[in-house]
Amino acid sequence: MRFFFDSESGLASMLQNIRNNIQGTAAKVIIAIIVVPFALFGIDSLFTSSGPAAAAVVNGEKISEAELQQAITLQKRRLLSMMGDQIDPAMLDDAILRKPALNTLIKQQLLLQAAKDEGIEVSVPQLNATIAAMPQFQEDGRFSQERYQQVLRLQGYSSSFFKQLLKSDLTIQQLSTAVAGSAFVSGAELSRSVGLLYESRDYHYINIPLANYSKNVSVSEKEIADYYADNAESFLTDEQVRFSYIELTEEQFFEPVSEDQVLAEYQRMVDTNNAQIEREAAHILLDITDDRSREQALEQLEKIRADIAAGSDFADEATQFSVDAGSAANGGSLGFTSGDSFPAEFEEALSGLNVGDVSSVVETEAGLHLIKLLSIRKPELPSLDEARLQITEQLRAQKAQPRLVGAVDTLKDLVFNAESLAMPAEEMTLEVKQGNWLSKTSEEGLFSYPAVKEAAFNAELRSQGLNSDVIELESDRYVVIHIEEHKAPQVQGLENVRNDIQLILSENKAESAALSKAEELQLALMSGERVEDAAKKQELKWNAIVDGKRSDIGVEAAIRNQAFAMPRPASSASVSTLRKNNGDRVVVQLFDVRYGNLAALKADLVQEAEKSAYRNKSSQEFSAYFNSLWESAEIKIN
């Protein structure tokens, strides 16, 4: 098995899906396994190689085409979840996604190989203890097997899948910790870090509001006419199109469902329900360690089993003797399993018990167990009357789907060479519907589907009078369109855009006036005029910042960033101007720069600075370590 790492994609997508799907109390569940201490990688998913074909070979180990295709599929799912219908179909092209997906798989494989070479591995008890300690899987401060299974089941992940995922993540965390542990921050490096982190600056700034000039701007008719003459092509109407279309839906092929069919389907539901038995288990676990041999663990469990048979309480024995901290505090309770939550040996023994029975000693990778079956449950099944509507709709859809697929194939053949939609509609007894005029900015009706909009504005279909391909809107809905009329963009008359032009010219004049004033003030300050005098002459407000820090939220970010980007003043103050997003201009005068002094910091700030510098150095060390792995690796990409 192999894992796909990308900290900002697969794992984040999995966790977001979990957040979206679990309701009530569990809506607060977020599986935050760990923060991978390096920027490039994280876990996306687990893949099983199927077949000999290799997309790449990393130091002799294959990355199969199947793994790569699944990685690409995950990337598509992530993009669709982020952008929905607004996504550019080109972004989902396999050819575009293939290279970054393969590179990520290669990087992940290198890290796993390095961890193996260093003898880094995660034991089963360590893995189980990590899961049991996760607050995301706990209720009332205790690990809940039921909640654990619920979270994973909603995403289609088995317990073994998740454990493999976590095991790989913990392995790489140990590798990164080992590499980062070699990082060392020298005194000079710490001083430089503190110098920048605790740098302070003294500066003044004058704000020049755009509104001061907007209210006094006037635009003549000649200016409007001249601007229109020079920029007429900027005032075009939207390109528009009107099309006819044929729609195929699953509902068009619905047929009546008989009572006998409903009864037969309900009986199938009953049979399926009877097969979905879940068993509630409890156990007492003794692991095999340097201090406890297998024989000693076996002997102790046999004694415990005899005590239980003689009347001792299983829960009390589990609390006292079980080494599984996650369940021992709860009397050994592990919650419910549908047959795949625990190791195969455990599940096999559990399935052979009656409620209340205690098994003989069972051995798994985790150690030796005594297992008790606490209860059995089956999913609730609605009555026939309650399920009738759902069954009827399901049967109608099952029967309609193959007919819909066949109709889609027929429609594809008919519209391919047809001059319009009339003949295909007549042959298939379908209605040709007429659409309204729509532009490229329209999102209504069929234009909410990007593929339809793309076909509607396809120049080849329009010029040759062709029908579009049959477009799949959803799994039960298809459409084919024919462009009936097209309106190319036209230059709008001056009377239609007069107000727009007047606004543009007004804004341009106001901005130009504000810029001129800023440049005038900049020259005055550079010539030695005092900032308060310069501002007072122009009836503007000025601000003085003394000992300002990069993190001062009392100063707008744009002004603060400008002040800290300016060069340290030499014989006279540095002066610069900037434009804010709202059009205002600002003149900034920098007087002094003082770098942070390590010796002047309090002990707690020094400690914080050391940690920050160490984190940065550790990140650099790991990057260098990974680069060495990459450069020395034998990588073959097919």
Side-chain angles (χ1 to χ4, degrees), residues 434-462:
Q434 299 297 324
N436 298 321
W437 283 103
L438 295 171
S439 69
K440 285 187 176 181
T441 58
S442 300
E443 297 292 340
E444 62 189 80
L446 291 177
F447 262 28
S448 63
Y449 298 94
V452 176
K453 185 181 293 187
E454 183 179 356
F457 287 97
N458 185 297
E460 183 180 0
L461 295 182
R462 183 173 67 245

PDB file of all heavy atoms in Angstrom, residues 434-462:
ATOM      1  N   GLN A 434     -37.781  26.321 -27.113  1.00  0.00           N
ATOM      2  CA  GLN A 434     -37.094  27.530 -27.537  1.00  0.00           C
ATOM      3  C   GLN A 434     -36.577  28.296 -26.331  1.00  0.00           C
ATOM      4  O   GLN A 434     -37.300  28.531 -25.361  1.00  0.00           O
ATOM      5  CB  GLN A 434     -38.043  28.435 -28.347  1.00  0.00           C
ATOM      6  CG  GLN A 434     -38.583  27.791 -29.618  1.00  0.00           C
ATOM      7  CD  GLN A 434     -37.490  27.472 -30.622  1.00  0.00           C
ATOM      8  OE1 GLN A 434     -36.516  28.233 -30.756  1.00  0.00           O
ATOM      9  NE2 GLN A 434     -37.653  26.368 -31.352  1.00  0.00           N
ATOM     10  N   GLY A 435     -35.322  28.682 -26.404  1.00  0.00           N
ATOM     11  CA  GLY A 435     -34.730  29.452 -25.312  1.00  0.00           C
ATOM     12  C   GLY A 435     -34.831  30.944 -25.554  1.00  0.00           C
ATOM     13  O   GLY A 435     -35.146  31.396 -26.655  1.00  0.00           O
ATOM     14  N   ASN A 436     -34.550  31.746 -24.528  1.00  0.00           N
ATOM     15  CA  ASN A 436     -34.543  33.203 -24.636  1.00  0.00           C
ATOM     16  C   ASN A 436     -33.158  33.686 -25.053  1.00  0.00           C
ATOM     17  O   ASN A 436     -32.186  32.930 -25.061  1.00  0.00           O
ATOM     18  CB  ASN A 436     -34.921  33.824 -23.289  1.00  0.00           C
ATOM     19  CG  ASN A 436     -36.317  33.426 -22.850  1.00  0.00           C
ATOM     20  OD1 ASN A 436     -37.234  33.351 -23.665  1.00  0.00           O
ATOM     21  ND2 ASN A 436     -36.472  33.171 -21.556  1.00  0.00           N
ATOM     22  N   TRP A 437     -33.079  34.971 -25.392  1.00  0.00           N
ATOM     23  CA  TRP A 437     -31.777  35.571 -25.680  1.00  0.00           C
ATOM     24  C   TRP A 437     -30.935  35.558 -24.406  1.00  0.00           C
ATOM     25  O   TRP A 437     -31.389  35.975 -23.345  1.00  0.00           O
ATOM     26  CB  TRP A 437     -31.945  37.008 -26.168  1.00  0.00           C
ATOM     27  CG  TRP A 437     -32.401  37.109 -27.591  1.00  0.00           C
ATOM     28  CD1 TRP A 437     -33.652  37.390 -28.039  1.00  0.00           C
ATOM     29  CD2 TRP A 437     -31.597  36.940 -28.752  1.00  0.00           C
ATOM     30  NE1 TRP A 437     -33.704  37.390 -29.407  1.00  0.00           N
ATOM     31  CE2 TRP A 437     -32.437  37.118 -29.876  1.00  0.00           C
ATOM     32  CE3 TRP A 437     -30.256  36.641 -28.976  1.00  0.00           C
ATOM     33  CZ2 TRP A 437     -31.979  37.017 -31.178  1.00  0.00           C
ATOM     34  CZ3 TRP A 437     -29.797  36.536 -30.261  1.00  0.00           C
ATOM     35  CH2 TRP A 437     -30.642  36.729 -31.361  1.00  0.00           C
ATOM     36  N   LEU A 438     -29.708  35.078 -24.524  1.00  0.00           N
ATOM     37  CA  LEU A 438     -28.812  34.998 -23.368  1.00  0.00           C
ATOM     38  C   LEU A 438     -27.418  35.496 -23.764  1.00  0.00           C
ATOM     39  O   LEU A 438     -26.990  35.326 -24.915  1.00  0.00           O
ATOM     40  CB  LEU A 438     -28.703  33.558 -22.860  1.00  0.00           C
ATOM     41  CG  LEU A 438     -29.986  32.929 -22.284  1.00  0.00           C
ATOM     42  CD1 LEU A 438     -29.775  31.441 -22.027  1.00  0.00           C
ATOM     43  CD2 LEU A 438     -30.405  33.631 -21.005  1.00  0.00           C
ATOM     44  N   SER A 439     -26.726  36.093 -22.807  1.00  0.00           N
ATOM     45  CA  SER A 439     -25.359  36.562 -23.038  1.00  0.00           C
ATOM     46  C   SER A 439     -24.386  35.676 -22.282  1.00  0.00           C
ATOM     47  O   SER A 439     -24.787  34.818 -21.487  1.00  0.00           O
ATOM     48  CB  SER A 439     -25.212  38.016 -22.584  1.00  0.00           C
ATOM     49  OG  SER A 439     -25.308  38.093 -21.163  1.00  0.00           O
ATOM     50  N   LYS A 440     -23.097  35.911 -22.480  1.00  0.00           N
ATOM     51  CA  LYS A 440     -22.078  35.096 -21.812  1.00  0.00           C
ATOM     52  C   LYS A 440     -22.077  35.296 -20.298  1.00  0.00           C
ATOM     53  O   LYS A 440     -21.563  34.448 -19.572  1.00  0.00           O
ATOM     54  CB  LYS A 440     -20.690  35.420 -22.377  1.00  0.00           C
ATOM     55  CG  LYS A 440     -20.450  34.844 -23.757  1.00  0.00           C
ATOM     56  CD  LYS A 440     -19.011  35.052 -24.200  1.00  0.00           C
ATOM     57  CE  LYS A 440     -18.747  34.373 -25.542  1.00  0.00           C
ATOM     58  NZ  LYS A 440     -17.345  34.544 -26.003  1.00  0.00           N
ATOM     59  N   THR A 441     -22.635  36.409 -19.863  1.00  0.00           N
ATOM     60  CA  THR A 441     -22.685  36.652 -18.416  1.00  0.00           C
ATOM     61  C   THR A 441     -23.937  36.059 -17.776  1.00  0.00           C
ATOM     62  O   THR A 441     -24.072  36.089 -16.552  1.00  0.00           O
ATOM     63  CB  THR A 441     -22.650  38.163 -18.138  1.00  0.00           C
ATOM     64  OG1 THR A 441     -23.754  38.796 -18.807  1.00  0.00           O
ATOM     65  CG2 THR A 441     -21.343  38.773 -18.629  1.00  0.00           C
ATOM     66  N   SER A 442     -24.834  35.529 -18.582  1.00  0.00           N
ATOM     67  CA  SER A 442     -26.074  34.954 -18.051  1.00  0.00           C
ATOM     68  C   SER A 442     -25.776  33.658 -17.301  1.00  0.00           C
ATOM     69  O   SER A 442     -24.902  32.885 -17.702  1.00  0.00           O
ATOM     70  CB  SER A 442     -27.074  34.674 -19.176  1.00  0.00           C
ATOM     71  OG  SER A 442     -27.402  35.854 -19.874  1.00  0.00           O
ATOM     72  N   GLU A 443     -26.523  33.424 -16.233  1.00  0.00           N
ATOM     73  CA  GLU A 443     -26.368  32.203 -15.447  1.00  0.00           C
ATOM     74  C   GLU A 443     -27.703  31.499 -15.259  1.00  0.00           C
ATOM     75  O   GLU A 443     -27.807  30.553 -14.492  1.00  0.00           O
ATOM     76  CB  GLU A 443     -25.773  32.529 -14.068  1.00  0.00           C
ATOM     77  CG  GLU A 443     -24.379  33.125 -14.106  1.00  0.00           C
ATOM     78  CD  GLU A 443     -23.317  32.140 -14.584  1.00  0.00           C
ATOM     79  OE1 GLU A 443     -23.577  30.918 -14.518  1.00  0.00           O
ATOM     80  OE2 GLU A 443     -22.242  32.595 -15.024  1.00  0.00           O
ATOM     81  N   GLU A 444     -28.716  31.932 -15.963  1.00  0.00           N
ATOM     82  CA  GLU A 444     -30.048  31.377 -15.762  1.00  0.00           C
ATOM     83  C   GLU A 444     -30.293  30.138 -16.620  1.00  0.00           C
ATOM     84  O   GLU A 444     -29.661  29.933 -17.655  1.00  0.00           O
ATOM     85  CB  GLU A 444     -31.111  32.445 -16.091  1.00  0.00           C
ATOM     86  CG  GLU A 444     -31.060  32.907 -17.547  1.00  0.00           C
ATOM     87  CD  GLU A 444     -31.960  34.099 -17.819  1.00  0.00           C
ATOM     88  OE1 GLU A 444     -31.554  35.238 -17.501  1.00  0.00           O
ATOM     89  OE2 GLU A 444     -33.072  33.881 -18.350  1.00  0.00           O
ATOM     90  N   GLY A 445     -31.222  29.297 -16.155  1.00  0.00           N
ATOM     91  CA  GLY A 445     -31.621  28.124 -16.928  1.00  0.00           C
ATOM     92  C   GLY A 445     -30.459  27.229 -17.304  1.00  0.00           C
ATOM     93  O   GLY A 445     -29.587  26.915 -16.493  1.00  0.00           O
ATOM     94  N   LEU A 446     -30.424  26.832 -18.574  1.00  0.00           N
ATOM     95  CA  LEU A 446     -29.375  25.934 -19.047  1.00  0.00           C
ATOM     96  C   LEU A 446     -27.996  26.584 -19.021  1.00  0.00           C
ATOM     97  O   LEU A 446     -26.975  25.888 -19.039  1.00  0.00           O
ATOM     98  CB  LEU A 446     -29.695  25.454 -20.469  1.00  0.00           C
ATOM     99  CG  LEU A 446     -30.897  24.510 -20.616  1.00  0.00           C
ATOM    100  CD1 LEU A 446     -31.154  24.181 -22.080  1.00  0.00           C
ATOM    101  CD2 LEU A 446     -30.673  23.229 -19.822  1.00  0.00           C
ATOM    102  N   PHE A 447     -27.949  27.922 -18.960  1.00  0.00           N
ATOM    103  CA  PHE A 447     -26.652  28.602 -18.919  1.00  0.00           C
ATOM    104  C   PHE A 447     -25.991  28.488 -17.550  1.00  0.00           C
ATOM    105  O   PHE A 447     -24.886  28.989 -17.350  1.00  0.00           O
ATOM    106  CB  PHE A 447     -26.811  30.067 -19.313  1.00  0.00           C
ATOM    107  CG  PHE A 447     -26.454  30.326 -20.764  1.00  0.00           C
ATOM    108  CD1 PHE A 447     -26.611  29.314 -21.711  1.00  0.00           C
ATOM    109  CD2 PHE A 447     -25.976  31.549 -21.194  1.00  0.00           C
ATOM    110  CE1 PHE A 447     -26.300  29.528 -23.038  1.00  0.00           C
ATOM    111  CE2 PHE A 447     -25.647  31.779 -22.509  1.00  0.00           C
ATOM    112  CZ  PHE A 447     -25.807  30.757 -23.441  1.00  0.00           C
ATOM    113  N   SER A 448     -26.654  27.837 -16.607  1.00  0.00           N
ATOM    114  CA  SER A 448     -25.986  27.539 -15.343  1.00  0.00           C
ATOM    115  C   SER A 448     -25.022  26.370 -15.514  1.00  0.00           C
ATOM    116  O   SER A 448     -24.244  26.070 -14.606  1.00  0.00           O
ATOM    117  CB  SER A 448     -27.020  27.211 -14.252  1.00  0.00           C
ATOM    118  OG  SER A 448     -27.761  26.041 -14.584  1.00  0.00           O
ATOM    119  N   TYR A 449     -25.058  25.719 -16.671  1.00  0.00           N
ATOM    120  CA  TYR A 449     -24.146  24.618 -16.993  1.00  0.00           C
ATOM    121  C   TYR A 449     -23.092  25.135 -17.982  1.00  0.00           C
ATOM    122  O   TYR A 449     -23.423  25.498 -19.122  1.00  0.00           O
ATOM    123  CB  TYR A 449     -24.896  23.446 -17.611  1.00  0.00           C
ATOM    124  CG  TYR A 449     -25.924  22.836 -16.690  1.00  0.00           C
ATOM    125  CD1 TYR A 449     -27.260  23.243 -16.743  1.00  0.00           C
ATOM    126  CD2 TYR A 449     -25.565  21.861 -15.761  1.00  0.00           C
ATOM    127  CE1 TYR A 449     -28.209  22.682 -15.892  1.00  0.00           C
ATOM    128  CE2 TYR A 449     -26.509  21.302 -14.904  1.00  0.00           C
ATOM    129  CZ  TYR A 449     -27.831  21.722 -14.981  1.00  0.00           C
ATOM    130  OH  TYR A 449     -28.761  21.179 -14.131  1.00  0.00           O
ATOM    131  N   PRO A 450     -21.820  25.196 -17.585  1.00  0.00           N
ATOM    132  CA  PRO A 450     -20.769  25.744 -18.456  1.00  0.00           C
ATOM    133  C   PRO A 450     -20.694  25.071 -19.820  1.00  0.00           C
ATOM    134  O   PRO A 450     -20.400  25.744 -20.820  1.00  0.00           O
ATOM    135  CB  PRO A 450     -19.488  25.499 -17.644  1.00  0.00           C
ATOM    136  CG  PRO A 450     -19.940  25.462 -16.219  1.00  0.00           C
ATOM    137  CD  PRO A 450     -21.293  24.825 -16.253  1.00  0.00           C
ATOM    138  N   ALA A 451     -20.953  23.772 -19.890  1.00  0.00           N
ATOM    139  CA  ALA A 451     -20.846  23.064 -21.172  1.00  0.00           C
ATOM    140  C   ALA A 451     -21.891  23.565 -22.168  1.00  0.00           C
ATOM    141  O   ALA A 451     -21.627  23.624 -23.372  1.00  0.00           O
ATOM    142  CB  ALA A 451     -21.004  21.559 -20.946  1.00  0.00           C
ATOM    143  N   VAL A 452     -23.080  23.908 -21.677  1.00  0.00           N
ATOM    144  CA  VAL A 452     -24.122  24.437 -22.560  1.00  0.00           C
ATOM    145  C   VAL A 452     -23.721  25.814 -23.066  1.00  0.00           C
ATOM    146  O   VAL A 452     -23.855  26.135 -24.250  1.00  0.00           O
ATOM    147  CB  VAL A 452     -25.478  24.494 -21.823  1.00  0.00           C
ATOM    148  CG1 VAL A 452     -26.533  25.145 -22.709  1.00  0.00           C
ATOM    149  CG2 VAL A 452     -25.920  23.102 -21.415  1.00  0.00           C
ATOM    150  N   LYS A 453     -23.211  26.658 -22.169  1.00  0.00           N
ATOM    151  CA  LYS A 453     -22.800  28.011 -22.559  1.00  0.00           C
ATOM    152  C   LYS A 453     -21.678  27.943 -23.595  1.00  0.00           C
ATOM    153  O   LYS A 453     -21.668  28.705 -24.574  1.00  0.00           O
ATOM    154  CB  LYS A 453     -22.349  28.787 -21.325  1.00  0.00           C
ATOM    155  CG  LYS A 453     -22.011  30.240 -21.601  1.00  0.00           C
ATOM    156  CD  LYS A 453     -21.554  30.957 -20.341  1.00  0.00           C
ATOM    157  CE  LYS A 453     -22.670  31.089 -19.334  1.00  0.00           C
ATOM    158  NZ  LYS A 453     -22.272  31.936 -18.176  1.00  0.00           N
ATOM    159  N   GLU A 454     -20.744  27.019 -23.389  1.00  0.00           N
ATOM    160  CA  GLU A 454     -19.635  26.869 -24.329  1.00  0.00           C
ATOM    161  C   GLU A 454     -20.137  26.470 -25.711  1.00  0.00           C
ATOM    162  O   GLU A 454     -19.690  26.997 -26.732  1.00  0.00           O
ATOM    163  CB  GLU A 454     -18.657  25.823 -23.803  1.00  0.00           C
ATOM    164  CG  GLU A 454     -17.424  25.637 -24.659  1.00  0.00           C
ATOM    165  CD  GLU A 454     -16.459  24.596 -24.093  1.00  0.00           C
ATOM    166  OE1 GLU A 454     -16.737  24.084 -22.990  1.00  0.00           O
ATOM    167  OE2 GLU A 454     -15.460  24.293 -24.761  1.00  0.00           O
ATOM    168  N   ALA A 455     -21.103  25.543 -25.761  1.00  0.00           N
ATOM    169  CA  ALA A 455     -21.658  25.113 -27.048  1.00  0.00           C
ATOM    170  C   ALA A 455     -22.455  26.241 -27.705  1.00  0.00           C
ATOM    171  O   ALA A 455     -22.414  26.426 -28.922  1.00  0.00           O
ATOM    172  CB  ALA A 455     -22.546  23.888 -26.848  1.00  0.00           C
ATOM    173  N   ALA A 456     -23.185  27.016 -26.904  1.00  0.00           N
ATOM    174  CA  ALA A 456     -24.035  28.072 -27.452  1.00  0.00           C
ATOM    175  C   ALA A 456     -23.216  29.157 -28.149  1.00  0.00           C
ATOM    176  O   ALA A 456     -23.696  29.793 -29.094  1.00  0.00           O
ATOM    177  CB  ALA A 456     -24.877  28.683 -26.333  1.00  0.00           C
ATOM    178  N   PHE A 457     -21.980  29.380 -27.695  1.00  0.00           N
ATOM    179  CA  PHE A 457     -21.141  30.402 -28.299  1.00  0.00           C
ATOM    180  C   PHE A 457     -20.025  29.794 -29.136  1.00  0.00           C
ATOM    181  O   PHE A 457     -19.007  30.449 -29.391  1.00  0.00           O
ATOM    182  CB  PHE A 457     -20.567  31.312 -27.202  1.00  0.00           C
ATOM    183  CG  PHE A 457     -21.579  32.238 -26.610  1.00  0.00           C
ATOM    184  CD1 PHE A 457     -22.217  31.921 -25.420  1.00  0.00           C
ATOM    185  CD2 PHE A 457     -21.943  33.407 -27.258  1.00  0.00           C
ATOM    186  CE1 PHE A 457     -23.166  32.754 -24.866  1.00  0.00           C
ATOM    187  CE2 PHE A 457     -22.885  34.257 -26.716  1.00  0.00           C
ATOM    188  CZ  PHE A 457     -23.507  33.930 -25.518  1.00  0.00           C
ATOM    189  N   ASN A 458     -20.216  28.561 -29.584  1.00  0.00           N
ATOM    190  CA  ASN A 458     -19.241  27.890 -30.430  1.00  0.00           C
ATOM    191  C   ASN A 458     -19.372  28.412 -31.861  1.00  0.00           C
ATOM    192  O   ASN A 458     -20.407  28.243 -32.507  1.00  0.00           O
ATOM    193  CB  ASN A 458     -19.469  26.374 -30.388  1.00  0.00           C
ATOM    194  CG  ASN A 458     -18.409  25.608 -31.147  1.00  0.00           C
ATOM    195  OD1 ASN A 458     -18.259  25.745 -32.358  1.00  0.00           O
ATOM    196  ND2 ASN A 458     -17.674  24.773 -30.429  1.00  0.00           N
ATOM    197  N   ALA A 459     -18.332  29.084 -32.345  1.00  0.00           N
ATOM    198  CA  ALA A 459     -18.394  29.723 -33.669  1.00  0.00           C
ATOM    199  C   ALA A 459     -18.579  28.702 -34.788  1.00  0.00           C
ATOM    200  O   ALA A 459     -19.273  28.975 -35.779  1.00  0.00           O
ATOM    201  CB  ALA A 459     -17.128  30.534 -33.902  1.00  0.00           C
ATOM    202  N   GLU A 460     -17.997  27.508 -34.657  1.00  0.00           N
ATOM    203  CA  GLU A 460     -18.118  26.492 -35.709  1.00  0.00           C
ATOM    204  C   GLU A 460     -19.542  25.981 -35.806  1.00  0.00           C
ATOM    205  O   GLU A 460     -20.089  25.833 -36.916  1.00  0.00           O
ATOM    206  CB  GLU A 460     -17.156  25.338 -35.426  1.00  0.00           C
ATOM    207  CG  GLU A 460     -17.166  24.258 -36.506  1.00  0.00           C
ATOM    208  CD  GLU A 460     -16.200  23.124 -36.208  1.00  0.00           C
ATOM    209  OE1 GLU A 460     -15.523  23.182 -35.161  1.00  0.00           O
ATOM    210  OE2 GLU A 460     -16.143  22.181 -37.017  1.00  0.00           O
ATOM    211  N   LEU A 461     -20.160  25.685 -34.665  1.00  0.00           N
ATOM    212  CA  LEU A 461     -21.550  25.236 -34.697  1.00  0.00           C
ATOM    213  C   LEU A 461     -22.435  26.295 -35.329  1.00  0.00           C
ATOM    214  O   LEU A 461     -23.359  25.976 -36.106  1.00  0.00           O
ATOM    215  CB  LEU A 461     -22.037  24.937 -33.271  1.00  0.00           C
ATOM    216  CG  LEU A 461     -21.383  23.787 -32.510  1.00  0.00           C
ATOM    217  CD1 LEU A 461     -22.033  23.618 -31.147  1.00  0.00           C
ATOM    218  CD2 LEU A 461     -21.469  22.485 -33.304  1.00  0.00           C
ATOM    219  N   ARG A 462     -22.165  27.558 -35.012  1.00  0.00           N
ATOM    220  CA  ARG A 462     -22.995  28.659 -35.512  1.00  0.00           C
ATOM    221  C   ARG A 462     -22.817  28.836 -37.009  1.00  0.00           C
ATOM    222  O   ARG A 462     -23.802  28.946 -37.757  1.00  0.00           O
ATOM    223  CB  ARG A 462     -22.626  29.940 -34.763  1.00  0.00           C
ATOM    224  CG  ARG A 462     -23.476  31.134 -35.150  1.00  0.00           C
ATOM    225  CD  ARG A 462     -23.184  32.321 -34.249  1.00  0.00           C
ATOM    226  NE  ARG A 462     -21.836  32.854 -34.433  1.00  0.00           N
ATOM    227  CZ  ARG A 462     -20.895  32.830 -33.502  1.00  0.00           C
ATOM    228  NH1 ARG A 462     -21.136  32.268 -32.328  1.00  0.00           N
ATOM    229  NH2 ARG A 462     -19.700  33.350 -33.736  1.00  0.00           N
TER     230      ARG A 462
END
